[in-house]
Amino acid sequence: MTALARNPQVRSNFIFAVTIAVYSGLVSLIAWSLIPRLGIVADPAWGMDYEVYLRAAREIWTEALYEDREILPFRYPPIAAVFFLPLRLVSEAFGHNVLNTLSVAATVVISYCVLGWYRVGTVQVRQVLAFAATTVLVLGTPWRTELALGQINSILLAFIIIAVTRRLDGARWGALLGVSIAIKLAAGIVVPGLLLLRRWKTAVAAVCSFLLSIVIGFAVIPKNAATFWFETFPRMSGGAPRSEIFSQNLSGALPRFGFGQGIDLAVILCWCCLLVLTVLGVVIAARQRDLLKVTFVLGVAGLLGQPVTWTHHWVWLGPAAIVFAISIARARLKWPWILSLALVVAGHDVVDTA
């Protein structure tokens, strides 16, 4: 308490943290009350993904953890089941609200980190803008869906954004990134960006943290860990592309637009365009020495290219939109940025309704 009273910076951070907690709790409760009642999320069931996490916590020491199921099998690495263990101790309603509160808080932190990376205004201005941005973002489809399902994408994205927006290369931030990769392997796509911009300590720590998570998984649940890494994981990218409306990636969108599969020329061209645009975006961002932009390019490319990308995975659009807004505000020639932002929003809307 003495440090809190004497140090204005510590006091400001404490107030900001308390405000985030109160704000996030209120938003979670509002979402809990309104989303099911108004039917503003089209997914089939409230709390569907939370039930997967809860089931994993209950089945962690049984052979049922990674068994094949027709609906919502558990496909996270073993360490994720370990992290979900506390869900066994609380009611489903309370646990879902806690995850939602953390997701909203993570969105505030993400927005604040992005604003800080580009040095927008003072600390106090960035804090206010972070809450304003989050209030707008949670109205969007990815966040509404995330809160309805009890998903954790914003929490994991916050780990990534915190790690890549540190000014100095550091192992502890890499370890935080490694936690995100350990829970959702797709997050590992951002590591090449660290290597490209010579963030060696962060990259090495991320990889080591991920490898440590594998060791812990084998130590805590050895049989299920072996099942995941040697049986479940090799089969995760197999099967036909998911073309339902919630499948928000290239493999899912092409059939909805009437394009064929396999060696169809249009399909090949689309994948080539994704590859070229990804390389071009990474090169441009790397030449600007902007690790955050490199991360966004790799992250969005990963979402478009991976076999399964559901609507709620697209919380990446939030911080990307903030970057667009900052670029528009600072650019002398604004129309290219405005056009790019319009194309991103319009393109997402087309895919979301196709």
Side-chain angles (χ1 to χ4, degrees):
M1 292 300 293
T2 303
L4 183 65
R6 293 180 179 178
N7 191 320
Q9 184 62 51
V10 173
R11 185 166 61 250
S12 174
N13 291 340
F14 176 77
I15 294 173
F16 185 43
V18 170
T19 307
I20 290 176
V22 174
Y23 169 86
S24 302
L26 288 175
V27 172
S28 175
L29 290 175
I30 292 171
W32 182 270
S33 301
L34 295 184
I35 290 179
R37 185 176 303 172
L38 300 179
I40 56 178
V41 172
D43 286 275
W46 173 269
M48 189 166 58
D49 285 15
Y50 180 84
E51 292 177 3
V52 175
Y53 304 154
L54 182 58
R55 189 179 70 229
R58 290 170 175 169
E59 297 178 348
I60 185 171
W61 285 292
T62 72
E63 294 182 1
L65 181 62
Y66 288 115
E67 71 178 12
D68 291 328
R69 304 171 190 261
E70 292 185 6
I71 301 176
L72 298 174
F74 185 71
R75 291 293 183 261
Y76 292 75
I79 193 67
V82 176
F83 285 134
F84 292 142
L85 274 174
L87 299 181
R88 301 175 58 168
L89 306 177
V90 298
S91 69
E92 186 171 336
F94 181 80
H96 189 159
N97 270 298
V98 168
L99 282 188
N100 282 357
T101 299
L102 292 174
S103 293
V104 176
T107 306
V108 177
V109 172
I110 290 167
S111 302
Y112 179 75
C113 288
V114 173
L115 293 166
W117 178 254
Y118 293 107
R119 294 187 171 92
V120 176
T122 63
V123 171
Q124 289 72 25
V125 168
R126 291 196 287 269
Q127 292 173 351
V128 172
L129 290 176
F131 284 113
T134 302
T135 302
V136 174
L137 292 177
V138 295
L139 299 175
T141 298
W143 295 270
R144 294 200 317 268
T145 307
E146 178 178 60
L147 296 179
L149 299 179
Q151 257 286 347
I152 58 173
N153 294 292
S154 290
I155 300 171
L156 301 182
L157 179 58
F159 292 167
I160 297 172
I161 299 302
I162 291 172
V164 302
T165 53
R166 300 308 93 191
R167 297 292 174 184
L168 299 177
D169 191 16
R172 58 176 175 171
W173 307 118
L176 188 63
L177 173 58
V179 172
S180 182
I181 300 170
I183 297 174
K184 278 200 174 182
L185 301 177
I189 196 171
V190 306
V191 173
L194 297 170
L195 298 174
L196 186 62
L197 293 182
R198 300 181 181 180
R199 292 290 190 98
W200 310 118
K201 293 180 181 179
T202 307
V204 170
V207 173
C208 291
S209 178
F210 166 66
L211 294 176
L212 178 61
S213 75
I214 297 177
V215 174
I216 294 174
F218 274 99
V220 177
I221 45 175
K223 190 170 183 178
N224 279 325
T227 299
F228 176 80
W229 291 111
F230 299 124
E231 297 179 23
T232 302
F233 176 65
R235 294 186 283 109
M236 283 174 58
S237 61
R242 305 291 296 268
S243 60
E244 57 263 52
I245 190 60
F246 302 115
S247 181
Q248 299 287 300
N249 55 18
L250 200 53
S251 296
L254 286 172
R256 296 200 294 270
F257 285 105
F259 294 108
Q261 299 296 321
I263 58 173
D264 187 288
L265 180 60
V267 174
I268 295 174
L269 288 175
C270 285
W271 284 104
C272 288
C273 285
L274 175 60
L275 177 61
V276 170
L277 290 173
T278 300
V279 172
L280 183 62
V282 167
V283 169
I284 292 173
R287 292 186 65 179
Q288 296 174 353
R289 309 301 299 172
D290 192 331
L291 179 57
L292 185 57
K293 287 182 181 177
V294 171
T295 300
F296 284 146
V297 173
L298 292 173
V300 171
L303 291 174
L304 289 172
Q306 64 192 27
V308 177
T309 307
W310 302 120
T311 305
H312 51 79
H313 292 144
W314 281 97
V315 290
W316 283 78
L317 291 177
I322 296 174
V323 174
F324 270 112
I326 294 170
S327 300
I328 290 171
R330 292 179 174 178
R332 292 183 179 180
L333 191 62
K334 299 183 184 300
W335 70 265
W337 284 101
I338 296 175
L339 178 61
S340 298
L341 179 59
L343 288 173
V344 169
V345 174
H348 181 263
D349 286 343
V350 168
V351 172
D352 199 34
T353 57

